[in-house]
Amino acid sequence: KHVVSGSTDNTVQVWSLDSSECVHTLNRHTKWVSSVCVTADSRHVVSGSDDKTVRVWSFATSECVRTLKGHTRQVTCVCLTADGNQVVSGSEDKTVRVWSLD
């Protein structure tokens, strides 16, 4: 069991609920991380950042497996569709984008 958080130090952190310790730090964003979510199957973590990107991370390896580019201003929110196949991101550029996880 884990909780995921985004931070002003440009990282995504994965915390163990059992030990309350950070078990993974995900580093690839170049500016603060404003939003995070986890797929229902816990295979991926999705993060949005002030660096205008959405990143998809492998929960198992902590590697960034995809960088989604297209927003022209900071990404303020990310979430997943009910079926878990798409990421939805919102941005200060006044757009909402839908991205396939495949």
Side-chain angles (χ1 to χ4, degrees):
K1 297 176 186 174
H2 297 89
V3 172
V4 179
S5 65
S7 179
T8 57
D9 68 0
N10 309 343
T11 66
V12 175
Q13 295 184 328
V14 180
W15 302 86
S16 167
L17 285 177
D18 294 330
S19 68
S20 299
E21 294 181 7
C22 180
V23 294
H24 299 289
T25 299
L26 313 178
N27 296 294
R28 288 288 297 273
H29 282 293
T30 58
K31 294 190 176 180
W32 64 279
V33 178
S34 57
S35 184
V36 294
C37 62
V38 180
T39 58
D41 60 9
S42 296
R43 288 182 47 214
H44 295 100
V45 174
V46 179
S47 58
S49 170
D50 196 49
D51 66 9
K52 307 174 193 171
T53 66
V54 174
R55 294 190 184 265
V56 180
W57 310 81
S58 166
F59 195 85
T61 66
S62 299
E63 294 294 320
C64 180
V65 296
R66 241 174 121 194
T67 301
L68 307 173
K69 296 180 179 179
H71 286 295
T72 59
R73 297 199 50 203
Q74 76 183 64
V75 177
T76 56
C77 58
V78 293
C79 66
L80 295 151
T81 56
D83 62 11
N85 293 325
Q86 295 173 308
V87 175
V88 180
S89 59
S91 169
E92 285 286 327
D93 65 13
K94 300 181 183 178
T95 65
V96 173
R97 293 185 179 262
V98 180
W99 316 82
S100 175
L101 269 180
D102 297 330

